[in-house]
Amino acid sequence: VGNALWQKQPKANAELFALTYGAMVGELIRDLEKTDKIQDELDRMGHSMGIRCVEEFLAKAGVDNVNSSNNASFADTADLMKMALKMFLGVSAIDYTSSPSDGTVNIAAAATAGNTTTPNSSNQYSIFLPENPLAIFVELPEDRLDLEYSQLLCGLIRGMLEMLQFDVSCQMVQSQLKGDDINEIRVSLQQVLQQGAGEEYQEE
Amino acid sequence: VGNALWQKQPKANAELFALTYGAMVGELIRDLEKTDKIQDELDRMGHSMGIRCVEEFLAKAGVDNVNSSNNASFADTADLMKMALKMFLGVSAIDYTSSPSDGTVNIAAAATAGNTTTPNSSNQYSIFLPENPLAIFVELPEDRLDLEYSQLLCGLIRGMLEMLQFDVSCQMVQSQLKGDDINEIRVSLQQVLQQGAGEEYQEE
């Protein structure tokens, strides 16, 4: 489904997008200077995009509207968010486990969903992205190695889930930009929002 | 050729791109406040993207490298820039004239190149874009009607032409965001740069 959605989306040039995103991060660095402020701002931008995009995404994905999704359990949103990232970035999330015994890596295509090897619990899941289109031209400078360059993606997921009544925290816990083998976005449930609570945010 | 190039490009989601560009302009508004400064910054960003992208574009378009293109006359760069915009934005430039007698509009597909109706002279040409992917979600607020929201595109063209040894000025002279029927980017030659002059800018 994610792939079909991606195919149907109007497209932009990926390089121009990556360069534009980079120019925006550069602008935030000049303006805000402090890494945590820059990251907060990227998160805020992604959050408002997520709020804005989620309804259209659900409609295109053939998922019932936000209100009736209320009963979905949090764990079920993992596949929905993977589908959304495919639609927005064109990148398929994969299942990923690194074996602690011999350090080798086991990557199984996400197509085998349902047989997921993703570390999972009822209130936390990870999304593994084998590539990051935002970061194709990027190398973090020495003095910005602590910057979560792609924090916009975390904000995007946080915004979408908020509209589905899930208040989450969302972080990149592994990043290829920082030398990790994979990009891992961890989504942790904070609380289930009361019905209607999300609606205020539609005004943003 | 432009269409084939566009097909082959890695793609991003057009909506996410437009929203990201919008977030960047919003950030510049907050940071710089003054419209002319915001526009200068968008132009500067586009300029450095143009400098960065032009060689790859020429290679993909099958055009000889920058140095040997030196002898190309300025007017010949019009088709090259239209092709570049197609590759970067996925939008085909069109020939466009509005008849002053009855106010009707004559749009001929750009495919009939060579039979161009674009107002043209040896040191100035216009590129007409029937749609603007950067601006799909945008409505300028009352107090920003003077903002050239898509100035990045002008900077992009300016940067590419600079690498081809043409120092140009580049402006949106018509914009659908401001209520015009079409988007018109006017490119005016300021001077032909000495060979090698462009190379300094590669360091940027």
mmCIF file of all heavy atoms in Angstrom, chain B residues 94-108 117-119 128 174 180-182 184 186:
data_model
loop_
_atom_site.group_PDB
_atom_site.id
_atom_site.type_symbol
_atom_site.label_atom_id
_atom_site.label_comp_id
_atom_site.label_asym_id
_atom_site.label_seq_id
_atom_site.Cartn_x
_atom_site.Cartn_y
_atom_site.Cartn_z
ATOM 1 N N ILE B 94 6.344 27.175 -20.804
ATOM 2 C CA ILE B 94 5.511 27.300 -22.002
ATOM 3 C C ILE B 94 5.821 28.609 -22.704
ATOM 4 O O ILE B 94 6.388 29.532 -22.114
ATOM 5 C CB ILE B 94 4.000 27.270 -21.664
ATOM 6 C CG1 ILE B 94 3.653 28.379 -20.643
ATOM 7 C CG2 ILE B 94 3.609 25.905 -21.096
ATOM 8 C CD1 ILE B 94 2.175 28.532 -20.408
ATOM 9 N N ASP B 95 5.483 28.667 -23.978
ATOM 10 C CA ASP B 95 5.509 29.946 -24.672
ATOM 11 C C ASP B 95 4.211 30.653 -24.343
ATOM 12 O O ASP B 95 3.159 30.028 -24.221
ATOM 13 C CB ASP B 95 5.623 29.726 -26.179
ATOM 14 C CG ASP B 95 6.968 29.128 -26.528
ATOM 15 O OD1 ASP B 95 7.933 29.365 -25.765
ATOM 16 O OD2 ASP B 95 7.056 28.415 -27.537
ATOM 17 N N TYR B 96 4.280 31.933 -24.213
ATOM 18 C CA TYR B 96 3.114 32.651 -23.689
ATOM 19 C C TYR B 96 3.101 34.063 -24.233
ATOM 20 O O TYR B 96 4.089 34.776 -24.140
ATOM 21 C CB TYR B 96 3.223 32.690 -22.167
ATOM 22 C CG TYR B 96 2.091 33.382 -21.450
ATOM 23 C CD1 TYR B 96 0.992 32.646 -21.001
ATOM 24 C CD2 TYR B 96 2.128 34.744 -21.215
ATOM 25 C CE1 TYR B 96 -0.039 33.259 -20.332
ATOM 26 C CE2 TYR B 96 1.077 35.365 -20.538
ATOM 27 C CZ TYR B 96 0.007 34.613 -20.090
ATOM 28 O OH TYR B 96 -1.009 35.227 -19.421
ATOM 29 N N THR B 97 1.985 34.440 -24.812
ATOM 30 C CA THR B 97 1.774 35.857 -25.125
ATOM 31 C C THR B 97 0.336 36.200 -24.803
ATOM 32 O O THR B 97 -0.570 35.419 -25.101
ATOM 33 C CB THR B 97 1.996 36.179 -26.624
ATOM 34 O OG1 THR B 97 1.397 35.145 -27.395
ATOM 35 C CG2 THR B 97 3.467 36.320 -26.949
ATOM 36 N N SER B 98 0.130 37.313 -24.165
ATOM 37 C CA SER B 98 -1.248 37.753 -23.977
ATOM 38 C C SER B 98 -1.503 38.824 -25.024
ATOM 39 O O SER B 98 -0.737 39.767 -25.173
ATOM 40 C CB SER B 98 -1.475 38.275 -22.570
ATOM 41 O OG SER B 98 -0.652 39.372 -22.317
ATOM 42 N N SER B 99 -2.553 38.625 -25.774
ATOM 43 C CA SER B 99 -2.871 39.568 -26.848
ATOM 44 C C SER B 99 -3.403 40.855 -26.254
ATOM 45 O O SER B 99 -4.380 40.831 -25.506
ATOM 46 C CB SER B 99 -3.915 38.945 -27.774
ATOM 47 O OG SER B 99 -4.628 39.967 -28.426
ATOM 48 N N PRO B 100 -2.805 41.999 -26.561
ATOM 49 C CA PRO B 100 -3.259 43.248 -25.981
ATOM 50 C C PRO B 100 -4.598 43.700 -26.553
ATOM 51 O O PRO B 100 -5.306 44.452 -25.933
ATOM 52 C CB PRO B 100 -2.149 44.247 -26.347
ATOM 53 C CG PRO B 100 -1.422 43.629 -27.509
ATOM 54 C CD PRO B 100 -1.668 42.158 -27.481
ATOM 55 N N SER B 101 -4.967 43.180 -27.750
ATOM 56 C CA SER B 101 -6.187 43.680 -28.393
ATOM 57 C C SER B 101 -7.463 43.224 -27.694
ATOM 58 O O SER B 101 -8.338 44.025 -27.389
ATOM 59 C CB SER B 101 -6.236 43.254 -29.859
ATOM 60 O OG SER B 101 -6.122 41.843 -29.944
ATOM 61 N N ASP B 102 -7.589 41.947 -27.400
ATOM 62 C CA ASP B 102 -8.833 41.478 -26.799
ATOM 63 C C ASP B 102 -8.648 40.812 -25.437
ATOM 64 O O ASP B 102 -9.584 40.257 -24.881
ATOM 65 C CB ASP B 102 -9.560 40.519 -27.760
ATOM 66 C CG ASP B 102 -8.684 39.313 -28.076
ATOM 67 O OD1 ASP B 102 -7.554 39.262 -27.545
ATOM 68 O OD2 ASP B 102 -9.134 38.443 -28.824
ATOM 69 N N GLY B 103 -7.429 40.875 -24.938
ATOM 70 C CA GLY B 103 -7.195 40.340 -23.610
ATOM 71 C C GLY B 103 -7.159 38.830 -23.539
ATOM 72 O O GLY B 103 -6.938 38.268 -22.481
ATOM 73 N N THR B 104 -7.355 38.146 -24.650
ATOM 74 C CA THR B 104 -7.276 36.686 -24.600
ATOM 75 C C THR B 104 -5.824 36.249 -24.548
ATOM 76 O O THR B 104 -4.901 37.020 -24.821
ATOM 77 C CB THR B 104 -7.925 36.035 -25.838
ATOM 78 O OG1 THR B 104 -7.271 36.533 -26.995
ATOM 79 C CG2 THR B 104 -9.407 36.334 -25.886
ATOM 80 N N VAL B 105 -5.655 35.019 -24.227
ATOM 81 C CA VAL B 105 -4.322 34.511 -23.936
ATOM 82 C C VAL B 105 -3.993 33.388 -24.919
ATOM 83 O O VAL B 105 -4.838 32.569 -25.241
ATOM 84 C CB VAL B 105 -4.298 33.995 -22.476
ATOM 85 C CG1 VAL B 105 -3.145 33.043 -22.242
ATOM 86 C CG2 VAL B 105 -4.237 35.175 -21.528
ATOM 87 N N ASN B 106 -2.785 33.407 -25.403
ATOM 88 C CA ASN B 106 -2.363 32.391 -26.362
ATOM 89 C C ASN B 106 -1.236 31.563 -25.772
ATOM 90 O O ASN B 106 -0.131 32.050 -25.588
ATOM 91 C CB ASN B 106 -1.897 33.095 -27.646
ATOM 92 C CG ASN B 106 -1.150 32.166 -28.569
ATOM 93 O OD1 ASN B 106 -1.355 30.951 -28.524
ATOM 94 N ND2 ASN B 106 -0.277 32.729 -29.387
ATOM 95 N N ILE B 107 -1.546 30.341 -25.453
ATOM 96 C CA ILE B 107 -0.516 29.481 -24.866
ATOM 97 C C ILE B 107 -0.165 28.376 -25.858
ATOM 98 O O ILE B 107 -1.028 27.612 -26.271
ATOM 99 C CB ILE B 107 -1.007 28.837 -23.551
ATOM 100 C CG1 ILE B 107 -1.319 29.928 -22.534
ATOM 101 C CG2 ILE B 107 0.024 27.878 -23.014
ATOM 102 C CD1 ILE B 107 -1.792 29.403 -21.201
ATOM 103 N N ALA B 108 1.071 28.316 -26.254
ATOM 104 C CA ALA B 108 1.523 27.228 -27.133
ATOM 105 C C ALA B 108 2.503 26.367 -26.360
ATOM 106 O O ALA B 108 3.339 26.871 -25.623
ATOM 107 C CB ALA B 108 2.194 27.810 -28.371
ATOM 108 N N THR B 117 7.349 32.113 -29.136
ATOM 109 C CA THR B 117 6.685 33.402 -29.128
ATOM 110 C C THR B 117 7.126 34.220 -27.913
ATOM 111 O O THR B 117 6.584 35.269 -27.633
ATOM 112 C CB THR B 117 5.159 33.230 -29.060
ATOM 113 O OG1 THR B 117 4.867 32.454 -27.900
ATOM 114 C CG2 THR B 117 4.627 32.532 -30.290
ATOM 115 N N THR B 118 8.092 33.687 -27.185
ATOM 116 C CA THR B 118 8.591 34.386 -26.004
ATOM 117 C C THR B 118 9.201 35.728 -26.415
ATOM 118 O O THR B 118 10.008 35.770 -27.334
ATOM 119 C CB THR B 118 9.697 33.559 -25.328
ATOM 120 O OG1 THR B 118 9.243 32.238 -25.168
ATOM 121 C CG2 THR B 118 10.113 34.164 -24.009
ATOM 122 N N PRO B 119 8.818 36.803 -25.727
ATOM 123 C CA PRO B 119 9.475 38.078 -26.027
ATOM 124 C C PRO B 119 10.970 37.899 -25.818
ATOM 125 O O PRO B 119 11.389 37.349 -24.821
ATOM 126 C CB PRO B 119 8.889 39.056 -25.014
ATOM 127 C CG PRO B 119 8.150 38.234 -24.023
ATOM 128 C CD PRO B 119 7.870 36.909 -24.645
ATOM 129 N N PHE B 128 8.296 31.248 -18.880
ATOM 130 C CA PHE B 128 6.933 31.244 -18.359
ATOM 131 C C PHE B 128 6.605 29.876 -17.780
ATOM 132 O O PHE B 128 6.683 28.863 -18.477
ATOM 133 C CB PHE B 128 5.934 31.570 -19.473
ATOM 134 C CG PHE B 128 6.081 32.953 -20.027
ATOM 135 C CD1 PHE B 128 6.803 33.172 -21.200
ATOM 136 C CD2 PHE B 128 5.517 34.041 -19.372
ATOM 137 C CE1 PHE B 128 6.948 34.456 -21.715
ATOM 138 C CE2 PHE B 128 5.658 35.331 -19.883
ATOM 139 C CZ PHE B 128 6.380 35.534 -21.050
ATOM 140 N N GLN B 174 6.072 38.331 -13.249
ATOM 141 C CA GLN B 174 4.665 38.001 -13.052
ATOM 142 C C GLN B 174 4.619 36.788 -12.133
ATOM 143 O O GLN B 174 5.490 35.923 -12.200
ATOM 144 C CB GLN B 174 3.973 37.636 -14.372
ATOM 145 C CG GLN B 174 3.800 38.784 -15.343
ATOM 146 C CD GLN B 174 2.855 38.389 -16.489
ATOM 147 O OE1 GLN B 174 1.646 38.317 -16.324
ATOM 148 N NE2 GLN B 174 3.445 38.126 -17.647
ATOM 149 N N ASP B 180 -1.325 37.236 -10.965
ATOM 150 C CA ASP B 180 -1.101 37.188 -12.409
ATOM 151 C C ASP B 180 -1.549 35.834 -12.966
ATOM 152 O O ASP B 180 -1.680 34.856 -12.233
ATOM 153 C CB ASP B 180 0.395 37.413 -12.723
ATOM 154 C CG ASP B 180 0.854 38.803 -12.300
ATOM 155 O OD1 ASP B 180 0.120 39.771 -12.556
ATOM 156 O OD2 ASP B 180 1.939 38.910 -11.692
ATOM 157 N N ASP B 181 -1.747 35.783 -14.288
ATOM 158 C CA ASP B 181 -2.211 34.546 -14.913
ATOM 159 C C ASP B 181 -1.104 33.500 -15.007
ATOM 160 O O ASP B 181 -1.374 32.318 -15.212
ATOM 161 C CB ASP B 181 -2.716 34.831 -16.342
ATOM 162 C CG ASP B 181 -4.013 35.635 -16.320
ATOM 163 O OD1 ASP B 181 -4.775 35.464 -15.351
ATOM 164 O OD2 ASP B 181 -4.227 36.431 -17.241
ATOM 165 N N ILE B 182 0.109 33.956 -14.906
ATOM 166 C CA ILE B 182 1.247 33.079 -15.199
ATOM 167 C C ILE B 182 2.412 33.480 -14.301
ATOM 168 O O ILE B 182 2.383 34.557 -13.688
ATOM 169 C CB ILE B 182 1.625 33.221 -16.705
ATOM 170 C CG1 ILE B 182 2.610 32.143 -17.160
ATOM 171 C CG2 ILE B 182 2.236 34.604 -16.990
ATOM 172 C CD1 ILE B 182 1.963 31.082 -17.980
ATOM 173 N N GLU B 184 6.246 34.480 -14.580
ATOM 174 C CA GLU B 184 7.236 34.862 -15.578
ATOM 175 C C GLU B 184 8.541 35.217 -14.882
ATOM 176 O O GLU B 184 8.592 36.119 -14.047
ATOM 177 C CB GLU B 184 6.749 36.077 -16.391
ATOM 178 C CG GLU B 184 7.809 36.574 -17.368
ATOM 179 C CD GLU B 184 7.349 37.755 -18.235
ATOM 180 O OE1 GLU B 184 6.187 38.219 -18.053
ATOM 181 O OE2 GLU B 184 8.136 38.226 -19.065
ATOM 182 N N ARG B 186 12.102 36.684 -15.611
ATOM 183 C CA ARG B 186 12.847 37.407 -16.644
ATOM 184 C C ARG B 186 14.339 37.364 -16.324
ATOM 185 O O ARG B 186 14.767 37.675 -15.211
ATOM 186 C CB ARG B 186 12.374 38.850 -16.749
ATOM 187 C CG ARG B 186 13.029 39.573 -17.938
ATOM 188 C CD ARG B 186 12.339 40.880 -18.252
ATOM 189 N NE ARG B 186 10.959 40.655 -18.690
ATOM 190 C CZ ARG B 186 10.005 41.599 -18.676
ATOM 191 N NH1 ARG B 186 10.289 42.811 -18.246
ATOM 192 N NH2 ARG B 186 8.785 41.318 -19.098
#
